[in-house]
Amino acid sequence: MRCVFVLNGPSLNLLGVRQPEIYGRATLGDIESECRVLGAELGLSIDFRQSNHEGVLVDWIQEARGAAQAVVINPAAYTHTSVALLDALSAFDGPVIEVHLSNVHKRDAFRRHSYVSLRADGVIAGCGAEGYLLALRRVASLLAD
Ligand code: DQA
């Protein structure tokens, strides 16, 4: 079965209680369950992880080389700051889809720039938790091509 790493950055462990008016009421556990259900339908095995630490995310992206066929990533605040995540993703060969729960273009100006977008094959923002599911559907069609 094809494996997809679904990686989540800082403070996404607080989803459901963190600014729910912006990020919604779904917890990260809820999102993980929905990803697993859809993954099973699409024939994708889901390796779902969250870290508050940039270096840990870099290690996981490096681990994806050889272990995963695609990466779905919500880099959270590191989206806007991290050349390290961009470089790690640039060394990964398969599809990369960047996800944001909120519409980052409707918010603070600094959220409009993403280092990760320089590598991402697709970007989904403002679709809430459903964005993760859209990303998995896109991964499935890219891997099928
Ligand atoms: C986020 C958007 C980022 O700007 C923010 O720092 C986050 C979450 C989102 O999912 O909407 O932590 O990636």
Side-chain angles (χ1 to χ4, degrees):
M1 203 188 261
R2 284 156 179 215
C3 177
V4 183
F5 276 19
V6 181
L7 304 180
N8 295 278
S11 297
L12 293 173
N13 53 312
L14 297 179
L15 280 184
V17 290
R18 170 196 184 205
Q19 297 180 281
E21 67 289 355
I22 295 175
Y23 297 117
R25 300 241 166 236
T27 66
L28 200 60
D30 295 334
I31 294 174
E32 177 174 0
S33 306
E34 288 181 26
C35 285
R36 284 191 193 291
V37 170
L38 180 63
E41 258 175 54
L42 297 172
L44 302 171
S45 101
I46 305 297
D47 192 329
F48 195 99
R49 307 180 189 188
Q50 187 274 332
S51 177
N52 292 328
H53 303 278
E54 187 175 17
V56 172
L57 292 162
V58 168
D59 288 343
W60 288 345
I61 293 165
Q62 290 185 6
E63 187 187 328
R65 288 159 49 85
Q69 280 66 55
V71 171
V72 170
I73 184 165
N74 182 346
Y78 292 138
T79 307
H80 318 296
T81 63
S82 182
V83 176
L85 287 187
L86 169 62
D87 285 354
L89 287 165
S90 298
F92 176 77
D93 280 339
V96 172
I97 309 292
E98 177 183 348
V99 174
H100 300 285
L101 294 148
S102 65
N103 180 356
V104 284
H105 299 286
K106 209 177 172 187
R107 301 181 61 195
D108 323 80
F110 70 81
R111 293 184 204 277
R112 283 182 211 143
H113 178 261
S114 165
Y115 284 99
V116 170
S117 292
L118 291 166
R119 163 62 181 90
D121 298 293
V123 182
I124 298 166
C127 298
E130 196 182 340
Y132 285 77
L133 305 180
L134 297 170
L136 290 179
R137 289 191 187 281
R138 180 64 182 154
V139 160
S141 49
L142 288 172
L143 292 180
D145 282 347

